[in-house]
Amino acid sequence: LRGVVVHLQAARHRELGAIFQVTAEGPRKYRFHIEGLFVLIDKYLRTRSIYRGKAIDGAENFIDVHTVNPDDVVYTPSVQRRLEGDVWSFIRYEKVLAQLGQNGKYAVLFDGPYGSGKTLAAMLTGQIAVEHGWTFLMCRPGQDELVTTFEMARMYQPAVVFAEDVDTMAGPQSGSTIERHLDMMDGIKTKGLKLLAVFTTNHAENIHQGMLRAGRIGAVIRIGGMDRQGVEQLGRRVIGEALDVETDWDKVWAHVDGYMPAFVREVFDRSVRYAITLNGGELGSIGTEPICLAADSLRDQHALMEGAKEDVRQTDLATALERVVVDAVSKVEVVDAEGDYMYEL
């Protein structure tokens, strides 16, 4: 291939962002050889990419989504059905959905209070994604740019983008920032695109209206407290063989009612220590009494969490300047040039 030159360089793509670029130039008689080179490169990247089909964050660091055991996560039947139908089916049955003309781009919002299991649901989504050859990209709040993460997802599709606490970047005061994110997702028009965006929020009421309209968010799943059946199911899984067969689950439910799943899990973990204390240093069986004692021991902490204030949002520049001006002129006496009248601001 005399006269053919291959260039390897970093570049900036108009839609994909930062990329590594391969170009070639040479005599026209070698055009089929050059095209064949790019066919081989494309095949290699599709079959041997170190990122495609893996779980990574916005800085291209690999993450382990299997730290969450699916057997230790229990949702109410309604939430479980929503996760199966509105989220995981998009990954598991992508080919069937494509044949039926379903859109390959989809966004889901997980809404719920702290400790309700939103992040766990996202990690389970990551597990399903990797198992089915999808790339899972986590956009870490305060560390990764959502736009950049979408660009990566576009290159390593089919992909899932997970962005936690989206209300901090999509609130009503976020202005052009959220619009840029929304426009980015709306503007992804790649043929055959497979992209699932999963957002979480603790305050859905603060989400920008433009983000909630049909076509931008496909489904909103409210993940809240557990029901009695779920509490018993989780308790049996966590405590296992040490569980007393005569445990009064109605009484246990009365003591944990109102707790989010994270607190319920802590109750069962803590009941081990209370059982050892009650049995003089031996585990014995874990039944109603140690579980209820553990639940009661978390009551003060739960009350503090419920009443605690969240981080105050950073004031935007316009609001800050407005406050400075108001403070500066407060109680200032103003008179006309002749001194005929005066009023107070």
Side-chain angles (χ1 to χ4, degrees), residues 152-188:
M152 293 174 60
R154 192 174 186 177
M155 288 189 286
Y156 297 118
Q157 62 166 306
V160 177
V161 172
F162 168 49
E164 198 166 20
D165 298 331
V166 71
D167 50 295
T168 62
M169 66 178 73
Q173 303 302 324
S174 58
S176 61
T177 301
I178 181 58
E179 289 302 322
R180 183 162 58 96
H181 294 157
L182 295 173
D183 292 342
M184 173 67 184
M185 189 166 183
D186 286 348
I188 299 178

Side-chain angles (χ1 to χ4, degrees), residues 244-278:
D244 188 339
V245 295
E246 297 183 0
T247 298
D248 185 347
W249 288 107
D250 289 330
K251 187 173 182 179
V252 169
W253 167 246
H255 281 257
V256 301
D257 187 15
Y259 282 170
M260 288 297 107
F263 270 83
V264 176
R265 174 59 192 257
E266 176 61 23
V267 166
F268 295 129
D269 288 337
R270 189 173 295 192
S271 66
V272 174
R273 298 197 297 272
Y274 279 82
I276 292 175
T277 301
L278 291 171

Side-chain angles (χ1 to χ4, degrees), residues 264-319:
V264 176
R265 174 59 192 257
E266 176 61 23
V267 166
F268 295 129
D269 288 337
R270 189 173 295 192
S271 66
V272 174
R273 298 197 297 272
Y274 279 82
I276 292 175
T277 301
L278 291 171
N279 294 321
E282 297 182 0
L283 178 60
S285 62
I286 301 176
T288 307
E289 185 176 4
I291 295 176
C292 290
L293 287 173
D296 292 341
S297 71
L298 283 167
R299 191 64 58 187
D300 290 341
Q301 181 179 346
H302 182 265
L304 285 173
M305 188 194 76
E306 291 291 300
K309 294 182 179 180
E310 299 184 38
D311 293 339
V312 178
R313 294 183 184 276
Q314 185 175 359
T315 304
D316 62 83
L317 181 59
T319 303

Side-chain angles (χ1 to χ4, degrees), residues 18-322:
I19 61 172
F20 183 78
Q21 187 177 62
V22 182
T23 59
E25 58 181 339
R28 184 174 178 79
K29 64 180 180 180
Y30 293 130
R31 66 183 183 277
F32 295 116
H33 298 78
I34 295 174
E35 290 174 0
L37 170 65
F38 287 110
V39 169
L40 291 175
I41 292 175
D42 180 77
K43 181 179 179 180
Y44 185 93
L45 292 177
R46 290 184 182 278
T47 58
R48 302 181 64 177
S49 169
I50 62 173
Y51 295 123
R52 190 184 304 278
K54 307 297 192 304
I56 56 179
D57 61 26
E60 299 180 3
N61 300 308
F62 293 101
I63 57 178
D64 185 7
V65 293
H66 289 89
T67 55
V68 177
N69 184 351
D71 292 335
D72 292 341
V73 182
V74 178
Y75 295 106
T76 62
S78 61
V79 170
Q80 187 70 29
R81 287 193 297 269
R82 292 292 309 279
L83 291 172
E84 294 282 354
D86 286 330
V87 185
W88 300 335
S89 64
F90 191 86
I91 302 171
R92 288 171 171 158
Y93 312 117
E94 61 160 312
K95 293 182 180 179
V96 176
L97 293 174
Q99 292 173 355
L100 296 174
Q102 293 286 311
N103 192 352
K105 185 175 59 178
Y106 194 66
V108 181
L109 177 66
F110 293 162
D111 169 41
Y114 295 105
S116 58
K118 302 184 298 298
T119 303
L120 292 178
M123 290 299 100
L124 294 180
T125 303
Q127 293 181 16
I128 295 172
V130 173
E131 290 168 1
H132 287 77
W134 284 51
T135 308
F136 181 78
L137 298 108
M138 177 184 291
C139 181
R140 299 165 298 176
Q143 300 183 64
D144 302 321
E145 278 286 337
L146 186 56
V147 171
T148 303
T149 307
F150 274 134
E151 292 173 347
M152 293 174 60
R154 192 174 186 177
M155 288 189 286
Y156 297 118
Q157 62 166 306
V160 177
V161 172
F162 168 49
E164 198 166 20
D165 298 331
V166 71
D167 50 295
T168 62
M169 66 178 73
Q173 303 302 324
S174 58
S176 61
T177 301
I178 181 58
E179 289 302 322
R180 183 162 58 96
H181 294 157
L182 295 173
D183 292 342
M184 173 67 184
M185 189 166 183
D186 286 348
I188 299 178
K189 305 293 184 182
T190 303
K191 183 178 180 180
L193 177 71
K194 296 293 182 181
L195 174 61
L196 171 63
V198 178
F199 304 112
T200 75
T201 178
N202 300 313
H203 300 287
E205 68 276 7
N206 291 336
I207 297 293
H208 193 284
Q209 287 184 343
M211 192 172 185
L212 294 173
R213 73 166 174 80
R216 285 191 166 178
I217 293 293
V220 177
I221 301 178
R222 172 73 180 182
I223 303 177
M226 304 179 68
D227 56 16
R228 183 206 172 284
Q229 179 182 355
V231 169
E232 180 177 350
Q233 184 178 355
L234 181 61
R236 292 185 181 278
R237 289 181 180 179
V238 174
I239 299 176
E241 296 180 355
L243 181 66
D244 188 339
V245 295
E246 297 183 0
T247 298
D248 185 347
W249 288 107
D250 289 330
K251 187 173 182 179
V252 169
W253 167 246
H255 281 257
V256 301
D257 187 15
Y259 282 170
M260 288 297 107
F263 270 83
V264 176
R265 174 59 192 257
E266 176 61 23
V267 166
F268 295 129
D269 288 337
R270 189 173 295 192
S271 66
V272 174
R273 298 197 297 272
Y274 279 82
I276 292 175
T277 301
L278 291 171
N279 294 321
E282 297 182 0
L283 178 60
S285 62
I286 301 176
T288 307
E289 185 176 4
I291 295 176
C292 290
L293 287 173
D296 292 341
S297 71
L298 283 167
R299 191 64 58 187
D300 290 341
Q301 181 179 346
H302 182 265
L304 285 173
M305 188 194 76
E306 291 291 300
K309 294 182 179 180
E310 299 184 38
D311 293 339
V312 178
R313 294 183 184 276
Q314 185 175 359
T315 304
D316 62 83
L317 181 59
T319 303
L321 289 174
E322 181 182 48

